[in-house]
Amino acid sequence: MHVDRRRVLAGLAAALCSASETRAQPPVADKPEQPPKFDDRVVVDPATKRRIGVRLRLPATEAPAPLIVYSPGLGSGLSNGAAWCEAWRQAGFVVATMNHPVTGDAVFSPGSLRAHMAQALSGGQYPARIADAKFVIRQCLGALGLEKRIDPQRIGVSGHSYGAIIATLMAEEMAREKTPVVKAVVAFSPGVISAGSARRAAVIRMPYFCVTGDQ
């Protein structure tokens, strides 16, 4: 018993000495905060009068880069999809995240949530979002000072949930154009509105990357 007790006390003493040595070490200086690598803008489509929030992320390279226009899910704004939008930027893409009127973070603006949701889920918001995306692409190519930063032959559209439906509808629309502006789609958790809309998606021929789960 006495031997075991001495061993325990010796072990405690060694642990305390080690802890005090650790505490005696000078603190590691915090790394300075990196400035945000995005630029928030608001663009107004004169055809629809819609004010569209745009968060621009630019890669380090000055050479013309591919553009990804990203449409968030219902009720989400410019902060949605930050992890993959930043990963795309670091991989050399120009990324433009949209905050759509009515269906973006305006869903949670003051007032009746039920009324906001009813308006957001109305059928007219699907073509309105598509018009937003087309307008933002045009703005990126000619009005936001990015003309030399974007390769107009490499433009993709991505979206999550509600935004993934928009990306899919755009891919269907591009299939009917002789010279489609959009060349590829990345859809996070896409869905379909009806069996008919699912069948219409069969026209898609561009690269279409679907990311989803089984829950």
Side-chain angles (χ1 to χ4, degrees):
M1 291 293 294
H2 294 296
V3 173
D4 291 342
R5 185 179 178 184
R6 284 197 297 270
R7 287 178 177 173
V8 170
L9 291 174
L12 286 174
L16 289 172
C17 289
S18 174
S20 52
E21 287 174 2
T22 302
R23 287 196 298 270
Q25 294 176 357
V28 177
D30 292 333
K31 293 182 179 180
E33 289 189 12
Q34 297 296 322
K37 298 184 184 301
F38 54 76
D39 178 19
D40 289 348
R41 310 277 189 94
V42 175
V43 296
V44 181
D45 186 346
T48 63
K49 312 301 181 188
R50 285 166 62 92
R51 293 174 56 86
I52 309 156
V54 181
R55 175 163 291 179
L56 297 171
R57 290 178 168 88
L58 302 179
T61 176
E62 296 289 335
L67 168 67
I68 297 178
V69 175
Y70 177 71
S71 179
L74 179 65
S76 296
L78 299 181
S79 62
N80 182 258
W84 46 83
C85 288
E86 175 60 17
W88 289 332
R89 185 197 70 79
Q90 293 183 14
F93 291 85
V94 174
V95 184
T97 301
M98 296 178 288
N99 183 19
H100 300 275
V102 183
T103 55
D105 55 18
V107 167
F108 299 104
S109 61
S112 169
L113 177 60
R114 179 175 294 181
H116 292 331
M117 286 294 291
Q119 186 181 12
L121 294 173
S122 64
Q125 293 306 318
Y126 291 106
R129 272 204 180 204
I130 292 174
D132 290 347
K134 291 180 177 179
F135 180 70
V136 168
I137 290 172
R138 293 197 300 271
Q139 292 288 292
C140 287
L141 293 177
L144 298 178
L146 302 176
E147 298 89 338
K148 296 181 179 179
R149 302 294 301 271
I150 296 173
D151 181 350
Q153 300 304 315
R154 294 189 292 168
I155 296 176
V157 173
S158 180
H160 169 247
S161 190
Y162 197 119
I165 295 175
I166 302 307
T168 303
L169 292 174
M170 288 194 70
E172 294 173 16
E173 191 172 310
M174 293 295 123
R176 295 187 287 270
E177 296 187 4
K178 292 182 178 180
T179 54
V181 174
V182 177
K183 300 297 195 297
V185 161
V186 179
F188 293 87
S189 299
V192 291
I193 304 166
S194 64
S197 66
R199 286 191 291 271
R200 286 194 295 272
V203 302
I204 297 174
R205 291 292 179 267
M206 69 172 63
Y208 181 101
F209 183 41
C210 174
V211 184
T212 189
D214 60 2
Q215 296 297 316

